[in-house]
Amino acid sequence: MTEFAFSCTGVRADPYAAGPTLVFRLRVTASPDTRVHALALRCQIRIEPARRAYDDTEAAALGDLFGERSRWGSSLNPVQFAQVPLMVQSFTGQTDVDLPVPCTYDVDIASTRYFHALYDSEVPLLMLFSGTAFTGTGGFHVEPVPWDREATFRMPVKIWREMIEQHFPGSAWVRLPRDTMDALLAYRSRRALPSWEATVNRLLAAAGEGTP
């Protein structure tokens, strides 16, 4: 069996993607002198929140995910971030490849709420690998990539914020049920309000909350 090892050497935001996308740089290592014709990989990425510290502002913002700080001993559990496939081309020994990971700014998604709550430092990630390897010098051998292959990586929070700013500059996004959206649209139309910002500000003013 071919021994495979994985590590993540960096991450960047893709400025040309149609939607928010992070590109992780992976290093794949196989047993010495083993010809790998192709790798069909599955990569699961998890956030490991217990592997970093949080200031009081971040802890308050994470309350809806993990509860009060006093409960974090049992509630600070891993958060699923992404599960993506990757085809790795032929190599011998070692190769570096890009792993594109589409992202969302939907704050109803737990991973997005986690990223949004952080102001600085890094996000502790765990990458879990599995899949199928096609190897051999004089022909093809089909081998599984063991389920215990993994890599850790600490992603700078600023990379995620830069990616979101590229696609949603100075903006935030809220998902609403269709009937609520229809009611808001009718409210906006009746009052001939020029934008959604003006609509929300009018509602805040009517509730006595003021506007930003």
Side-chain angles (χ1 to χ4, degrees):
M1 294 288 290
T2 304
E3 287 292 327
F4 290 99
F6 301 88
S7 62
C8 182
T9 60
V11 64
R12 70 180 192 276
D14 186 347
Y16 305 110
T21 302
L22 292 171
V23 181
F24 292 88
R25 190 68 172 170
L26 298 182
R27 178 160 294 163
V28 185
T29 305
S31 300
D33 302 322
T34 298
R35 176 68 182 276
V36 179
H37 299 288
L39 273 177
L41 289 177
R42 294 181 297 274
C43 179
Q44 182 182 157
I45 307 177
R46 295 178 184 170
I47 300 167
E48 300 275 286
R51 288 173 42 215
R52 61 157 286 175
Y54 303 89
D55 62 27
D56 291 340
T57 302
E58 292 172 332
L62 291 169
D64 64 331
L65 280 180
F66 306 121
E68 298 288 335
R69 194 191 283 269
S70 60
R71 297 176 47 207
W72 283 11
S74 59
S75 66
L76 213 62
N77 297 317
V79 175
Q80 179 78 357
F81 174 30
Q83 187 160 330
V84 290
L86 177 67
M87 286 298 301
V88 180
Q89 297 182 352
S90 176
F91 70 96
T92 300
Q94 181 176 284
T95 188
D96 291 341
V97 294
D98 286 339
L99 176 69
V101 177
C103 302
T104 177
Y105 198 31
D106 184 350
V107 291
D108 284 338
I109 304 299
S111 59
T112 304
R113 295 210 305 278
Y114 180 85
F115 292 137
H116 186 72
L118 305 185
Y119 290 92
D120 202 358
S121 191
E122 298 168 327
V123 178
L125 299 177
L126 176 65
M127 298 180 167
L128 305 170
F129 298 93
S130 61
T132 304
F134 302 88
T135 64
T137 301
F140 281 93
H141 301 285
V142 180
E143 308 178 36
V145 176
W147 284 86
D148 62 353
R149 303 297 92 170
E150 61 183 44
T152 59
F153 182 67
R154 300 188 74 86
M155 183 183 75
V157 175
K158 66 178 183 179
I159 299 296
W160 184 84
R161 291 192 173 278
E162 289 170 2
M163 174 194 68
I164 293 300
E165 189 65 19
Q166 288 174 3
H167 292 273
F168 306 103
S171 303
W173 188 90
V174 176
R175 182 175 61 177
L176 296 172
R178 191 182 304 277
D179 55 349
T180 302
M181 191 66 194
D182 289 343
L184 280 173
L185 181 59
Y187 179 90
R188 174 180 172 178
S189 297
R190 286 195 302 270
R191 289 157 179 79
L193 297 170
S195 66
W196 286 115
E197 180 181 6
T199 303
V200 172
N201 285 341
R202 175 71 69 88
L203 289 167
L204 287 172
E209 298 292 336
T211 57

